[in-house]
Amino acid sequence: MNSFDAFKDPALCRSLLARLTQEAQTPVRFMEVCGTHTVAIFQSGLRSLLPETITHLTGPGCPVCVTHESEVAAFLELAARDDVIVATFGDLMRVPGPKGANLKTASAEGARVEVVYSPFDALALAKANPDRKVVFLGIGFETTAPTVAATIRLAREQALDNFLVMSFHKLVPPALRALLADPEARVDAFILPGHVSAVIGVDPYAFLATEYRVPSVITGFEPLDILQALLHIVHMRRDNAPAVINQYSRVVPEHGNQKALAVMAEVFTPVDALWRGLGVLPQSGLAIAEPYAAFDAFKVLGITLKDHPPLPGCRCGEVLKGKMAPNECPLFAKACTPATPVGPCMVSTEGGCAAYYKYRLDA
């Protein structure tokens, strides 16, 4: 057995699960803050095996899910322009906007919308279409922001003035602070995102333990990773010794990826940002910095965010804050399904509603 397979070893998992069941005497509500963790917990069957004292909450760790209604409206405004090609990741195509419109319907009505697999694909699209503005929709957390920043820097080096980015990148730590400041959220502990942490390291999470006394564990995505993280949480709560533990040290450096952080700091600047369900969070987003303003779609094309009401009936905001389980939404698996999504949590494969639906947690 190689070291990777060991993290899936059934005997080791059963052993850890037995320990967890024995030692988890006090109720604890933990939230994972990563869409990949959402999928991993459901896909592995761990959620159904956890002791009754442990409650799993899905959090705001899905980039598509936290994209605000006003941001989706800006996508559609952009797509309506004759001089623009919109370049986007595929999971944004079906996110509902005002009056149920989305990028897929915009494409059907004649908009030029291209699905790409990386921002570098969008750069190639700009080279191939010098007579059009190619606008890449930059969503995601600290995981994707460095690659987008590097692409913007490369566009400047290559003098590709028809390549633009509409940046909606968001930062995870401010969202965690907002959740803990909301007494209705009732989060006792966090499983922190492995991919994000590989970029930012451990230090940005320190406030979770020092200010809020909430046990938190950075962990990977295999069953053994998740069970070890939960055991750490149970021990920290038992000993009243909250900390931020880096259980994923095989991937996450203590101080993060310095090259990735440097390119982010060069190209982006922190700004207040809109989050679905959480509202405006201070310094939780990344806008394109002034030296790279020539690649900022907002400034070049004169687009601004406008107020838009929540989607009628959609409860994604409450799901993202852990206040409601997806299957508690009146629309779940009825009006709202992956084929007919009312909100983005049912669109993205990393969304809590989509995971509940796929793994038949509808009761």
Side-chain angles (χ1 to χ4, degrees):
M1 180 184 299
N2 61 41
S3 58
F4 180 78
D5 289 338
F7 286 91
K8 298 180 180 179
D9 181 63
L12 287 174
C13 289
R14 284 194 294 269
S15 174
L16 269 185
L17 185 60
R19 283 186 60 191
L20 187 63
T21 302
Q22 180 181 9
E23 298 183 33
Q25 300 301 311
T26 303
V28 57
R29 292 163 57 88
F30 84 91
M31 176 180 280
E32 34 77 5
V33 197
C34 176
T36 309
H37 276 138
T38 304
V39 174
I41 289 169
F42 284 102
Q43 191 175 57
S44 65
L46 283 180
R47 195 177 191 280
S48 61
L49 298 174
L50 295 176
E52 292 183 359
T53 51
I54 296 181
T55 300
H56 166 220
L57 308 173
T58 61
C62 161
V64 170
C65 302
V66 299
T67 302
H68 195 270
E69 292 90 346
S70 296
E71 297 175 335
V72 179
F75 300 166
L76 297 173
E77 179 185 347
L78 183 68
R81 296 181 59 127
D82 292 334
D83 59 337
V84 164
I85 299 173
V86 175
T88 178
F89 295 137
D91 51 3
L92 275 183
M93 290 291 290
R94 295 173 59 243
V95 175
K99 299 180 181 180
N102 57 37
L103 286 173
K104 191 171 184 178
T105 60
S107 178
E109 292 169 359
R112 180 81 184 272
V113 183
E114 299 283 347
V115 173
V116 296
Y117 296 95
S118 82
F120 296 110
D121 291 341
L123 199 66
L125 194 62
K127 289 180 183 178
N129 294 271
D131 58 330
R132 304 279 285 273
K133 298 289 187 185
V134 173
V135 183
F136 176 72
L137 303 182
I139 70 158
F141 302 120
E142 292 93 337
T143 313
T144 55
T147 306
V148 177
T151 307
I152 293 172
R153 190 166 64 180
L154 185 59
R156 187 172 73 170
E157 292 172 0
Q158 297 181 357
L160 277 174
D161 58 3
N162 68 322
F163 174 78
L164 303 172
V165 171
M166 184 174 273
S167 178
F168 292 115
H169 289 97
K170 293 174 171 61
L171 305 174
V172 167
L176 305 184
R177 186 179 290 278
L179 286 168
L180 293 176
D182 184 347
E184 295 182 13
R186 296 186 296 134
V187 179
D188 298 323
F190 285 113
I191 284 185
L192 297 170
H195 298 141
V196 166
S197 302
V199 174
I200 68 174
V202 180
D203 294 343
Y205 303 118
F207 72 95
L208 298 174
T210 58
E211 295 182 35
Y212 292 96
R213 299 193 60 76
V214 171
S216 305
V217 183
I218 299 168
T219 193
F221 306 96
E222 303 301 337
L224 202 65
D225 287 318
I226 296 164
L227 288 169
Q228 283 181 322
L230 292 175
L231 201 56
H232 279 308
I233 286 169
V234 166
H235 291 167
M236 285 190 280
R237 282 177 59 80
R238 179 196 64 194
D239 299 337
N240 192 27
V244 177
I245 294 175
N246 182 11
Q247 185 269 341
Y248 202 28
S249 58
R250 67 185 188 275
V251 171
V252 176
E254 199 72 12
H255 301 294
N257 183 321
Q258 294 302 306
K259 289 184 178 180
L261 291 171
V263 72
M264 282 173 59
E266 176 188 340
V267 176
F268 292 122
T269 186
V271 293
D272 299 349
L274 277 169
W275 294 63
R276 187 182 299 270
L278 298 175
V280 178
L281 300 185
Q283 301 293 284
S284 65
L286 293 175
I288 296 175
E290 190 58 35
Y292 291 89
F295 303 95
D296 187 339
F298 286 107
K299 294 179 179 177
V300 174
L301 301 178
I303 293 175
T304 58
L305 293 186
K306 301 174 180 64
D307 289 337
H308 284 274
L311 299 169
C314 179
R315 308 294 287 274
C316 278
E318 292 167 78
V319 170
L320 294 168
K321 291 186 282 190
K323 295 182 179 182
M324 171 186 282
N327 56 5
E328 293 173 343
C329 174
L331 303 184
F332 178 81
K334 299 180 181 72
C336 187
T337 70
T340 58
V342 174
C345 296
M346 190 63 89
V347 173
S348 174
T349 56
E350 295 186 343
C353 296
Y356 265 66
Y357 188 93
K358 180 176 181 178
Y359 296 102
R360 299 296 186 264
L361 293 180
D362 52 5

